[in-house]
Amino acid sequence: MAVLSSTDPQKSRSPEDHGDPSFATTLAHGLDVLAAFRNHSGSLSNAELALHTGLSRPTVSRLTYTLEQLGYLKRDTKGRFQLGLGILAAAYPVLSALKVRQLARPLMRDFAAYTGGTVSIAMPFGLDFIYVETLRTTDAVAHLPDVGFAGSLAPTAVGRALLSLFTRQELDDYVAKVKAERPEEADYVKARTLPDIELCKERGFAISLGDWRREIFGVAAPLYRTPSGDCLSVNCGIPSFRFNAEQIERECGPRMLGLARSIRSLVASD
């Protein structure tokens, strides 16, 4: 099974694409520039940002200048752009409002120690998931995600766990959006993701045996929906040399289900 790639920032859309005359195109373009950094840990030039966003060089130059003045971008010694601290300041209220992050950490630490992997809490973000908390006790995993890391819902255990919390209409909308925006994932979603979502609903956890990254086995469980409708799930990325597929299914899966139940109990009693 080929590993599905991480998502690239979406191309900018015009008001006509949205069918909404109130849509602020310039604002959307600026956010597209910021989103281009999601899959790049280093700096980007205006030319590279133009390539990633599909915007013209003059437009990108105006946007990066404005974003730099506002503190959302900064220049490195070569004049290339990096994300600025304004991004972190804007994200703080979102993270601080998620009390589950603090409550779940001791339980997440225990599970990370058991598996030798990385335990995270995730929320859906369009066709992707995004980590709002992550914890590990070892650096044995080559891929070490952190808070803010995003990846595709389709091939991941955490994505399937999140999607299991969707209503039927939300799931139908997700499938339609995949077909429209990521047609290369459509067949995979139909053949693998949707059946695994139903399996997750039946047994309470989802697994992904190297579908996303060959060297990582994933196991995840849905947590809950917030009163405002946000979905959360907990997952663990486990080095494939630590457990075989049968152990992931028979041992790690039920333990992950127990972890999710314990986290829900803590949140309910807080």
Side-chain angles (χ1 to χ4, degrees):
M1 174 63 64
V3 179
L4 297 181
S5 62
S6 298
T7 179
D8 289 327
Q10 293 182 17
K11 301 297 183 185
S12 299
R13 298 181 183 183
S14 67
E16 291 75 16
D17 292 331
H18 285 266
D20 185 355
S22 298
F23 185 78
T25 303
T26 301
L27 174 59
H29 288 167
L31 295 175
D32 284 340
V33 169
L34 296 177
F37 289 87
R38 281 171 52 190
N39 294 319
H40 301 276
S41 58
S43 58
L44 293 171
S45 65
N46 279 332
E48 290 167 332
L49 287 166
L51 178 64
H52 288 301
T53 61
L55 300 172
S56 68
R57 286 280 295 276
T59 296
V60 168
S61 295
R62 290 194 299 271
L63 292 170
T64 52
Y65 173 81
T66 303
L67 291 167
E68 182 186 10
Q69 295 303 306
L70 296 174
Y72 293 106
L73 290 179
K74 64 179 182 179
R75 290 180 186 266
D76 63 14
T77 56
K78 296 181 179 180
R80 295 162 62 87
F81 290 99
Q82 299 174 326
L83 291 177
L85 290 178
I87 294 291
L88 191 58
Y92 174 75
V94 176
L95 295 175
S96 64
L98 294 170
K99 302 302 182 184
V100 64
R101 299 172 62 241
Q102 292 81 15
L103 295 171
R105 281 172 188 159
L107 298 175
M108 293 169 64
R109 185 176 294 106
D110 290 343
F111 198 92
Y114 157 66
T115 60
T118 302
V119 181
S120 305
I121 294 176
M123 299 175 68
F125 184 65
L127 297 179
D128 305 320
F129 66 86
I130 187 166
Y131 285 151
V132 297
E133 183 60 88
T134 187
L135 191 148
R136 55 184 176 269
T137 59
T138 176
D139 290 343
V141 184
H143 174 69
L144 296 174
D146 210 331
V147 172
F149 176 82
S152 176
L153 290 167
T156 55
V158 66
R160 294 161 188 173
L162 287 169
L163 290 166
S164 74
L165 292 169
F166 280 28
T167 65
R168 173 49 59 184
Q169 184 59 56
E170 288 170 340
L171 195 57
D172 289 344
D173 291 344
Y174 165 76
V175 172
K177 194 172 183 180
V178 169
K179 291 178 180 178
E181 298 181 12
R182 296 183 190 164
E184 71 280 2
E185 289 190 4
D187 289 342
Y188 183 93
V189 167
K190 180 179 179 180
R192 294 290 299 277
T193 307
L194 295 180
D196 281 355
I197 292 170
E198 295 305 313
L199 186 58
C200 180
K201 291 179 181 180
E202 292 176 11
R203 63 186 182 182
F205 65 88
I207 63 173
S208 176
L209 302 175
D211 290 6
W212 182 46
R213 288 178 178 266
R214 189 173 303 172
E215 72 277 11
I216 299 175
F217 288 166
V219 58
L223 287 174
Y224 54 83
R225 295 188 71 134
T226 67
S228 62
D230 291 326
C231 301
L232 291 92
S233 69
V234 60
N235 82 293
C236 185
I238 305 170
S240 58
F241 62 81
R242 293 294 298 265
F243 296 89
N244 59 38
E246 183 178 359
Q247 289 173 316
I248 295 290
E249 182 90 26
R250 295 180 179 273
E251 300 176 21
C252 298
R255 282 179 178 253
M256 176 57 70
L257 177 58
L259 173 62
R261 287 171 174 165
S262 296
I263 293 174
R264 284 196 293 268
S265 296
L266 285 175
V267 173
S269 61
D270 181 55

